[in-house]
Amino acid sequence: MDIAMIGLGKMGGNMARRLAKGGHRVVGFNRSHAVTDQLAAEVRVVPAYTLQEVVAKLPAPRVCWIMLPAGAATEEALHELASLLAPGDILIDGGNTNYKDDIRRAETLKAKGLHYVDVGTSGGIWGLTEGYSMMLGGDKAVVESLRSIFETLAPAPDKGWGHVGPHGAGHYVKMVHNGIEYGMMQAYAEASRS
């Protein structure tokens, strides 16, 4: 499958690597061109230096996965991509977005004929070798159309990912996941001080 990865930092870069090694054609964009060039040389990611280039290098229906910090960076990328994409294209947000933003974005993008999927993504720097845990929110048919991407990124095709509900559900479940994780880490820290 063809997919763009927008943001090639620790998580996005390793996700692009895993997808490319899994046989997908990945168009990579990062604001630092050196990072894009390094990944292109390493795993044959197709480099793009503007979001316009990203869109031009993808066949329709286009799939763009945004792996940027939550907030302004993600909002700006979504806004610009929405102005460049065509009806039927898909935008995925894999960052730590507030689920209420997902619900708002999905409605705005739907009016333009664009699909939106929110993916709570866990795996950190180990995701490249171990796979990622992904909690997916959005229309079930759209999620299903992206199955090969999630199967490649996950620890195994049949585990580590799942459709958990409508728009916002993916990031909501990830928020609960983070709360449990941080609570456990605090408990371990308290126990080790005893």
Side-chain angles (χ1 to χ4, degrees):
M1 177 174 262
D2 291 83
I3 183 170
M5 186 64 67
I6 314 298
L8 302 173
K10 285 184 171 55
M11 287 274 287
N14 279 346
M15 292 171 78
R17 285 178 179 93
R18 190 168 173 98
L19 287 166
K21 289 176 181 179
H24 299 275
R25 179 178 172 270
V26 181
V27 175
F29 170 81
N30 197 76
R31 66 181 178 176
S32 166
H33 295 182
V35 172
T36 305
D37 290 338
Q38 177 187 345
L39 208 54
E42 181 187 328
V43 287
R44 291 185 286 137
V45 164
V46 178
Y49 303 104
T50 66
L51 293 181
Q52 291 89 342
E53 270 190 67
V54 167
V55 172
K57 291 182 177 186
L58 289 171
R62 295 165 195 85
V63 179
C64 296
W65 187 309
I66 297 171
M67 211 57 201
L68 297 170
T74 296
E75 200 72 40
E76 288 167 16
L78 277 167
H79 180 73
E80 185 174 348
L81 283 166
S83 72
L84 299 168
L85 295 171
D89 291 345
I90 302 169
L91 283 161
I92 302 169
D93 177 8
N96 282 326
T97 294
N98 184 310
Y99 73 95
K100 293 178 182 177
D101 289 336
D102 291 320
I103 295 167
R104 171 183 52 80
R105 291 173 181 164
E107 283 302 311
T108 301
L109 294 170
K110 183 179 180 181
K112 297 181 178 195
L114 301 172
H115 302 291
Y116 181 78
V117 177
D118 55 287
V119 181
T121 310
S122 183
I125 58 172
W126 300 280
L128 176 60
T129 55
E130 304 300 319
Y132 297 88
S133 173
M134 293 164 290
M135 299 138 264
L136 316 170
D139 294 333
K140 191 169 187 169
V142 176
V143 168
E144 189 60 31
S145 75
L146 302 169
R147 172 181 281 272
S148 66
I149 292 169
F150 304 130
E151 289 178 341
T152 300
L153 288 171
D158 62 344
K159 63 179 172 180
W161 69 280
H163 180 245
V164 296
H167 297 111
H171 283 133
Y172 184 87
V173 172
K174 178 63 164 43
M175 176 182 66
V176 173
H177 162 280
N178 285 352
I180 294 167
E181 179 182 38
Y182 299 154
M184 288 175 61
M185 289 191 304
Q186 181 66 35
Y188 292 149
E190 292 295 329
S192 69
R193 291 188 337 181
S194 300

